[in-house]
Amino acid sequence: MGRTPCCDKKGLKKGPWTTEEDEILANYINKNGGHGSWRSLPKITGLLRCGKSCRLRWTNYLRPDIKRGPFTSEEEKLVIQLHAILGNRWAAIASQLPGRTDNEIKNFWNTHLKKRLKSMGINPETHEPVASSSYPNHKSHASISTRHMAQWESARLEAEARLSIESSSHFNNNNPNSITKTDSSSSSDYFLRIWNSEVGDAFRNVNKITSCCQSPISAGSLSTNKCDSVIAELASNNPISNSVKEEFEWKNYKFCAEDLILGYDSSSSNDMDDSSDTALQLLLDFPMNNDMNFLENSFAFSL
DNA sequence: AATACAAGCAACCGCGGTGTT
DNA sequence: CAACACCGCGGTTGCTTGTAT
């Protein structure tokens, strides 16, 4: 089916917005209690912009709840953690950071975080460690360790795919009224829901770097204990399998390691290397319940 | 001081999803 | 059910500013 252009290009202005245009747009939206139809907005206000351009200007710049200024370390952490779960779904990530726009987060990721992760030997797309030979500045680690982590990550991705299917069938079959179709359409959405739940809060609260360093296994146990009751409660309404719980536990463990890797005030490579080693150890020490039993069905499932 | 290059960011473009007729 | 209109999202572009030579 053919598609008409979003707006007539003739006579329409492009490029940076002037303060006058900003005022017209903001005044109109404020006076009318909303933007209404973006397409008709330029005609009504007399702006020589297409509706799309108006929407972008409003959502990315003029909106009153926009948060200005540099990202805090908490926000940085959250972006990295959410990107590990959601990938390049900037709008979904932005929804977890009040006042930040998807465009802002996308730019921040592409200009700062991506480079930082790369310099640390982490693939920013997959969040997997990459071969140390590609990063001469990064302290070399045993290839066995790297492979081990890569296997973990591979298994994790497999699990995500499986859990997506599992959770969809759970919610659709057992409690179809509790959740919409789109809510359960992907594993990332599923994890986002958990992330926003009390379970997510509990996991985030366990984010004590020092205790993780000193006793990674106990940190894992702590998060499990703390969340067991919450999970059980949730499960009574929306059953969550043990595999989901264990998968989430792994994610939290990984995030904890990422905190160490990032070391927000550690611009020097030496500091970074030290923390990265600890983080690697932390990842390697993640408690494997019966040798990844919770993942064993993932391959059959994906097939 | 002039130029080249890199980084950061605002804005644009095209596509897909969804609602309406 | 098809055609259309609109909106939102993610990728990309290009302008501006900062830094190095």
Side-chain angles (χ1 to χ4, degrees), chain A residues 69 132 134 149 151:
Chain A
S132 57
S134 306
M149 289 177 67
Q151 285 167 359

Side-chain angles (χ1 to χ4, degrees), chain A residues 255-266:
Chain A
F255 297 161
C256 195
E258 281 178 353
D259 281 337
L260 284 170
I261 292 169
L262 288 175
Y264 288 100
D265 57 347
S266 64

Side-chain angles (χ1 to χ4, degrees), chain A residues 173-205:
Chain A
N173 296 337
N174 297 343
N175 203 348
N177 295 327
S178 68
I179 201 153
T180 64
K181 184 186 169 188
T182 48
D183 281 342
S184 58
S185 61
S186 71
S187 60
S188 55
D189 290 335
Y190 181 68
F191 277 104
L192 194 55
R193 285 202 315 279
I194 300 179
W195 183 258
N196 286 327
S197 71
E198 293 175 62
V199 181
D201 287 339
F203 275 114
R204 285 190 289 275
N205 289 337

Side-chain angles (χ1 to χ4, degrees), chain A residues 41-52:
Chain A
L41 189 149
K43 293 170 190 166
I44 298 168
T45 59
L47 283 168
L48 295 174
R49 299 274 182 174
C50 72
K52 209 172 180 178

